[in-house]
Amino acid sequence: MADHPHPVDAERVRRARERVPGAADVERSTAILALLADPTRARVLHALDVVEELCVGDTALALGITEDAAGYALRVLRTAGLVSRRKAGRVVFYRLADGFPEPLLEHCLRHLSALAATGEDDGQDD
């Protein structure tokens, strides 16, 4: 942390302190975003968003991946609380968890995918 004797803009410092989430909250959100950074897991979430639920084998077929890869992705997502499962006899079906964060669904899955598909840029230089 920089050591300087006084804030340059005390009001902005106060607002930032009030509105910036705590370290634990940011840690959780970045962990979730890291899960989405994996292409297989992101595609699994997309598939579950589109068709509501899939078993491991159908997930693998839909995404063109191995059952091991699908099963692992689903297990990681379930452990993170993003996916839930239900058993029907010997088959386990996976779906987005109840309470799956709508902003995550809308902005991280749908909106970012749409932007990636169009290749559009916001026109701003970094």
Side-chain angles (χ1 to χ4, degrees), residues 14-101:
R14 182 191 63 75
R15 284 193 338 240
R17 282 186 178 161
E18 289 174 354
R19 295 180 182 168
V20 171
D25 292 334
V26 171
E27 209 169 295
R28 168 117 171 97
S29 64
T30 56
I32 290 171
L33 292 172
L35 289 174
L36 295 177
D38 176 79
T40 300
R41 291 189 294 258
R43 292 180 71 219
V44 166
L45 291 174
H46 278 285
L48 295 176
D49 178 40
V50 171
V51 298
E52 193 171 312
E53 72 177 15
L54 291 165
C55 67
V56 172
D58 287 352
T59 301
L61 286 171
L63 302 179
I65 60 177
T66 67
E67 285 192 25
D68 285 345
Y72 180 74
L74 287 161
R75 188 169 40 260
V76 169
L77 293 168
R78 190 172 144 269
T79 300
L82 298 177
V83 168
S84 62
R85 67 182 181 172
R86 74 171 178 88
K87 281 187 124 178
R90 295 177 54 156
V91 180
V92 177
F93 291 93
Y94 293 85
R95 62 176 43 233
L96 296 180
D98 289 339
F100 188 94

